[in-house]
Amino acid sequence: MDLNFTPQEETFREEVQHFLAERLPPRTADKVRTNKRLTRDDLVEWHAILNERGWLAGHWPVEHGGPGWSVAERYIFDYETARAHAPRIIAFGVNMLGPVLIKYGSEAQQKYYLPRILDGSDWWCQGYSEPGAGSDLASLRMSAVRDGDHYVLNGQKTWTTLGHYANRIFCLVRTDPAAAKKQQGISFILVDMNSPGIEIRPIITLDGEHEVNEVFFTDVRVPVENRVGEENHGWTYAKYLLTYERTNIAGIGGSVAALDWLRRIANQQMQDGRPLARDPYFAARMARVEIDLENMKTTNLRVLAAASHGGAPEAESSMLKIRGTEIRQELTSLTRRALGPYAQPFVPEALDADYNGEPIGPDYAAPVAAEYFNNRKLSIFGGSNEIQRSIIAKTMLGL
Amino acid sequence: MDLNFTPQEETFREEVQHFLAERLPPRTADKVRTNKRLTRDDLVEWHAILNERGWLAGHWPVEHGGPGWSVAERYIFDYETARAHAPRIIAFGVNMLGPVLIKYGSEAQQKYYLPRILDGSDWWCQGYSEPGAGSDLASLRMSAVRDGDHYVLNGQKTWTTLGHYANRIFCLVRTDPAAAKKQQGISFILVDMNSPGIEIRPIITLDGEHEVNEVFFTDVRVPVENRVGEENHGWTYAKYLLTYERTNIAGIGGSVAALDWLRRIANQQMQDGRPLARDPYFAARMARVEIDLENMKTTNLRVLAAASHGGAPEAESSMLKIRGTEIRQELTSLTRRALGPYAQPFVPEALDADYNGEPIGPDYAAPVAAEYFNNRKLSIFGGSNEIQRSIIAKTMLGL
Amino acid sequence: MDFDLTDDRRMLADTLGRYLGDRYGFSERTRIAGSEEGFSRTSWQDLAGLGVIGALFGEAAGGYGGAGFDLHTVFEQLGRSLVVEPFLGTLLAGKVLEAAGGQQALLDEVIAGTRLVTAALYEAEGRYDPLHVGTRATAREGGYVLTGGKAVVPQLAAADVILLSAKLEDGLALFLLPRSAPGVTIREYGFVEGGRGGELLLQDVVLDADARIGAGHSAQELIEHAVAAGIVALASEAVGIMEFARDATLDYLRTRTQFGVPIGKFQALQHRMATVLLEIEQARSATINAAASLGGDRLSRERAVSAAKFTIGRVGTLVAEEAIQMHGGIGMTWELPLPHYAKRLTMIDHQLGDEDYHLVRYIRLGEAAGAEAA
Amino acid sequence: MDFDLTDDRRMLADTLGRYLGDRYGFSERTRIAGSEEGFSRTSWQDLAGLGVIGALFGEAAGGYGGAGFDLHTVFEQLGRSLVVEPFLGTLLAGKVLEAAGGQQALLDEVIAGTRLVTAALYEAEGRYDPLHVGTRATAREGGYVLTGGKAVVPQLAAADVILLSAKLEDGLALFLLPRSAPGVTIREYGFVEGGRGGELLLQDVVLDADARIGAGHSAQELIEHAVAAGIVALASEAVGIMEFARDATLDYLRTRTQFGVPIGKFQALQHRMATVLLEIEQARSATINAAASLGGDRLSRERAVSAAKFTIGRVGTLVAEEAIQMHGGIGMTWELPLPHYAKRLTMIDHQLGDEDYHLVRYIRLGEAAGAEAA
């Protein structure tokens, strides 16, 4: 039993830190730190910098362009980049589609698509959820009817995160509506967003931002070779995708950075003639979440260690998802509380990094309330925390 | 909208207070206040005192010996008696069987049993739960087979509170095992505990006390005239009994007394050189439950007011049960916490009022931890809080 | 003991509810909340005409009500329709004017809806404490000079007259400030939940002697009294919002199907919803206690008011978060009314003192009560 | 990064687990816990023979381990079998002896199981603070005179030697007190969860000069260090108990049927159980953090230790209450093992500082760390 990283791992950590100091654009890091809006260009730039270093696809096999990291190295990389306020790597190509293609894609698909993910030629988005199929994903209804060498797609996808930045979408579609079980008869298909018949419409979220979209498909023709794997076996690939990438599901590094940010704010806000951070009640709220996060770091490492020994931690990664998002939500909630009356004023333009108006109240105030509301999504999207609790219970109870 | 009681009600309150000052045996009140053991004699004595004043059966109609109180007067009586540390009236005869006999009993049953409840000739206990039928009460299996003018009873009841003090038990029994629904085919029957074939065995609870029992029935013969109402309609009477007496389900008066007790202890316990009651964290715990209780007083009165106008507050009385027991459990939990290291020593003899050994630690310490463990029952017995939540949800959702 | 509204209040509730239902529907509300002024002068005139502003004040001050349950009746309806009209500033300033006396002409215009007032009682350094005042007033011949600033003042830019607190040499004092007075700077902005507010800056603002009001009273008491009324109002608004959120969520649980059944069939959601329902009843009770306390002695009143604001803060967060969570993705969208209710409910915790502030205040008042009793 | 036990520790866990499974089953445990001494001298001898006491101490002190993960390994097993043997007093006193030095003969006997020690570090007035010491020691020719009292000392009556703290004129000091010394009064009693403890009263107790130990060290540091080890032990015991409670509850949820299905099919219970499972993992992580910290610098160690005790207190209450609640009526009965585990789990929060005490301590240590860093 040893909680320390190995000397090699510590050397790697320094290497990552050094790289971040050198290459992470300070303007981007500052936006992340202060919760300002990131542009598509910010994300593309960071993507390219990582790719140049060969560190973009940490969990891809070396032969497909991965760096050959251990689980611990991936953890260190995720942790350090988040702490340094790097943007998250946009997951759809690198973390979601990539592994599916590597495991189930044809050689042609691998050769064509994987390099385009790495070099940024393709920005992928995810076509899973539908208006009637949220938690009950397998009840999806978008149809793909075979017509010669093509599928003809009709239906609607929703909650398509950053779909308005994407040129491609991977979709779950129903190829056999008569299948006995709803999990059968689903296929996994790659679609060019520029195909005729695709219409994308923004969904504005409660904080007034445009992050997610609806995507409508009307007689969209997709070549059959864009199907991944076998027809009607898409559910297998979809599940693989959902459970594959769990190194960073708890978002530890991001929460550590958010806690630092909160602490800074709580040290500046005054209450009762002393910094809010010294107020016993607020200090207790912060200490509770700090301790929970310290515990979570070790829980996360324990799960990773088990996984590297070949464990298959489905219930455990659901735990990481639940508590990881709860901690992050609690941190944004405390940051909102810390602001006091200044949570209420809202100047949307102040979320742009090049806004140069005088701030209302303290300069860190502008994005806080909106960020709190936006982060309510963490327990809803990516498999709601209710779904995760059911997975844990069913795994442990075996009922 | 007026939160005050009427002048008449306030006069009644004074009358109750005066009565309690005069007639509540101080030794008994002291036992209740300090959570010492009550004997059967203590309970019988208080029962007789109330009966003498005509205040024993607050919700019975005047013609059967009730005092003719309004809902507000019943609330005031329950509140003042609890605050004065009177023992709870043993519910089984007065609050449970009495109302059933008044509504569904034959004239002969009413004439014979009701006066015996009031004058203390009968101590009733409840034969509802069985080992396999807890929350799922309607799945009970104890059989009653007709044999001429008698039923022959076979089976087992459990969690029979104070059954070892009782001379009679009212039971739910299955008279038609072939009924289409499990709620059908149940009858409600009155049994003399001295009948041959009845065996009663103590269940020792986790605090080491004997309060509940198992009751075994082997070929127990009960005259048919001891059945209440119609054969196979017992479920209706049982449900009536469970929902009838709700004035005091939140146990407000008892919680107010428990809060006073907690506050006294927290003012005496020292932490960090000041009374625990001044410790910001403990003060916050106490204030939270105090505010919850203040709110609950008004919630309780609102439900009672609606009921007195003919409302049928099933979901509301489930709310009172849940939050009332949660508040009481939190209070005993805080009292346990307040004791610090002295929660651990346990001298069972010190729970007897006539124990005259020197106390271990502060003189109020002895019963505290055991009382905390014992009070875990509050959210389990009398319809678990899970069952109550389902009732609320189903009532409000109508699903 | 009577939990029914009087006939007058029931009529007020009905009238107000009907007006808001007809003229202040959700899309209209959205338009108004995002408009340049952040409220509607037409609606305000209508509401004044219906007697809604008057209901906040006693008959002696030219109103038709003014008791805790009058505020409760009005603000619960405002909450249900998520109204962004300038009621809070009007109430806070008006309650001071009513208690201080000597400003009947202004109050008449306020009640008639022809002049707008607001109250600037909080400062950036003071957080939630209205008695922490750094703004200074210096007496000089024939009047006062004020310098300082006030934070997050509701509907500041639209107010004709601003009631504010400042420190005189001999203690706290209250002043009426015309918005257009020289030396006054206003930085206005929208609120995250809709509606508008602003920062007030005073640089050597010269006021006449009669700008000072309530000189015969304790300014602390006037402020405390007005804030107590404000808390009853916010708590009642919160209860109205919670009831909307409850109904919307119950409805969604009944109608949204997943896995072939309405999601309200899922027991985990049922039990959490049962807790939400229970807590809303507790929040309503806390609000009733506070409303009833407004006429009572100071210590009972202030404890009831802090208990209510604490409860509303705690339960409000629960209700807002659970309602969004149970709605799932759709609960995150701008287009649905529910999340806007959730946002306002959350922001109520940021006005007039939050959950933690009032818990501490409740404890301190309790210690004071204990000391008094001893 | 390695979360596996070393082979030695795995062997220790296996040996101990096997012994307890064979010879310390629940009915045996019940007999022992309620016996006159509240533990079993036979078992104690057996456990010493298996090297379990030695595992608590380093090789320099004649033991076979002594690191945080050794304590973790031993006490987790003790928790699983709800062992009432005098390990806590032995650990606390032994850790002081180990660090103070100069008491090897006594330590050898302790490790061999032939002499029993306990630690009397807390006083009634000090609640959970071991540095609040009212007991006074006065130096006099050739020795000391001690007067005062110690509260809730584990296995006090059975201990041959009692380690205790007292205030000398120039600060805190530690002494070894033979139980049978004149002037010593012991009031012993059972614990609510089984096992025994006692109150220690000292009236002009005369001790030789060599009764004082660790004079070359800071008594505060010795105490803090021993209590840190004690907290790792209690947290590990708690984790063992939680795992028992988890397994028992999962088993009950799988097998108890109501409404025609196992109650584990009810989603409300499933989701609560998922939270319980998650929290147990967090409690285990907190314990691992604390165990790893024992070798580190003071501030990190004490923060990790307080974080662990806070977590164990919070999660322990949750696990105890939920396990009983999910068992329903049967969970309230003496006859079932589960509630006894729940009682011990609850009482662990009352030893060496509870949840609130350690949360405050964690905050203060954090402020100290911040001040140090600044």
Side-chain angles (χ1 to χ4, degrees), chain D residues 95-374:
Chain D
K95 281 287 162 191
V96 170
L97 296 176
E98 182 179 24
Q103 295 288 337
Q104 195 54 48
L106 176 57
L107 253 181
D108 287 344
E109 287 196 83
V110 168
I111 289 171
T114 51
R115 289 188 92 190
L116 261 186
V117 288
T118 194
L121 298 174
Y122 293 87
E123 302 187 358
E125 290 297 303
R127 200 172 166 90
Y128 291 128
D129 181 2
L131 302 180
H132 179 115
V133 176
T135 299
R136 306 208 140 265
T138 316
R140 57 160 232 184
E141 203 184 325
Y144 302 91
V145 182
L146 273 66
T147 293
K150 297 287 172 177
V152 197
V153 182
Q155 284 300 354
L156 179 61
D160 302 299
V161 179
I162 301 153
L163 172 94
L164 83 168
S165 53
K167 248 191 179 141
L168 266 175
E169 216 157 72
D170 58 346
L172 212 52
L174 292 160
F175 298 89
L176 286 176
L177 169 75
R179 189 197 39 191
S180 48
V184 170
T185 311
I186 284 174
R187 299 184 59 210
E188 69 135 2
Y189 43 74
F191 287 153
V192 70
E193 79 274 33
R196 300 190 75 78
E199 305 291 291
L200 178 65
L201 231 89
L202 308 167
Q203 187 67 48
D204 296 327
V205 176
V206 177
L207 292 177
D208 291 344
D210 64 359
R212 180 167 178 203
I213 65 164
H217 300 75
S218 147
Q220 278 90 333
E221 276 175 29
L222 289 173
I223 291 170
E224 204 173 63
H225 195 268
V227 169
I231 288 174
V232 168
L234 287 179
S236 305
E237 183 190 350
V239 168
I241 292 173
M242 288 180 199
E243 294 193 337
F244 177 92
R246 175 196 66 198
D247 295 346
T249 306
L250 285 172
D251 197 50
Y252 193 76
L253 291 172
R254 273 190 289 260
T255 51
R256 166 74 169 176
T257 63
Q258 290 278 272
F259 304 101
V261 293
I263 59 173
K265 285 271 189 195
F266 290 105
Q267 200 194 36
L269 296 187
Q270 287 185 347
H271 283 205
R272 279 161 54 187
M273 195 63 197
T275 300
V276 167
L277 295 165
L278 189 167
E279 292 287 11
I280 292 175
E281 293 308 319
Q282 288 287 81
R284 175 177 278 283
S285 291
T287 304
I288 288 172
N289 290 345
S293 81
L294 283 194
D297 67 288
R298 175 186 177 255
L299 216 50
S300 320
R301 179 189 73 216
E302 294 302 320
R303 286 201 100 198
V305 156
S306 277
K309 196 65 171 60
F310 162 77
T311 302
I312 289 293
R314 184 179 67 74
V315 178
T317 304
L318 176 81
V319 172
E321 293 185 352
E322 283 288 64
I324 289 175
Q325 183 71 21
M326 290 190 196
H327 273 80
I330 199 78
M332 290 293 300
T333 63
W334 184 270
E335 132 199 66
L336 199 74
L338 174 84
H340 296 272
Y341 281 81
K343 286 198 291 182
R344 174 64 192 143
L345 188 51
T346 305
M347 283 303 127
I348 283 176
D349 195 39
H350 290 267
Q351 292 186 302
L352 309 188
D354 71 357
E355 183 187 333
D356 289 0
Y357 177 86
H358 281 287
L359 184 66
V360 174
R361 189 165 181 271
Y362 180 87
I363 292 167
R364 290 188 186 154
L365 288 163
E367 290 169 358
E372 231 172 58

Side-chain angles (χ1 to χ4, degrees), chain A residues 298-308 313 316-317 320, chain D residues 3:
Chain A
T298 296
T299 301
N300 196 18
L301 289 169
R302 286 167 50 216
V303 171
L304 294 183
S308 73
E316 284 78 358
S317 58
L320 298 181
Chain D
F3 292 96

Side-chain angles (χ1 to χ4, degrees), chain A residues 159 203-212 329 369-381, chain C residues 252 320-321 323-340 342-343:
Chain A
W159 312 128
I203 297 175
I204 305 303
T205 45
L206 77 174
D207 53 340
E209 295 291 301
H210 174 201
E211 192 173 50
V212 288
Q329 287 182 330
E371 178 74 5
Y372 162 76
F373 291 117
N374 183 280
N375 270 358
R376 303 313 312 160
K377 75 187 173 194
L378 297 177
S379 48
I380 296 174
F381 293 154
Chain C
Y252 192 74
E321 294 185 352
I324 289 174
Q325 184 70 22
M326 291 193 198
H327 274 80
I330 198 79
M332 290 293 300
T333 61
W334 184 269
E335 131 198 66
L336 199 73
L338 175 86
H340 296 274
K343 286 200 289 183

Side-chain angles (χ1 to χ4, degrees), chain A residues 37-44 87-93 122-127 158-169 193 200-203 205 209-215 374 377 381:
Chain A
R37 291 190 190 101
L38 289 168
T39 64
R40 189 181 193 284
D41 286 348
D42 294 329
L43 297 169
V44 166
R88 280 203 165 205
I89 296 167
I90 299 304
F92 307 105
D122 288 335
W123 183 306
W124 285 91
C125 63
Q126 184 186 38
T158 193
W159 312 128
T160 313
T161 302
L162 300 186
H164 51 303
Y165 290 171
N167 64 322
R168 293 191 193 271
I169 182 168
M193 293 283 278
I200 183 163
R201 291 184 203 155
I203 297 175
T205 45
E209 295 291 301
H210 174 201
E211 192 173 50
V212 288
N213 302 271
E214 298 178 291
V215 188
N374 183 280
K377 75 187 173 194
F381 293 154

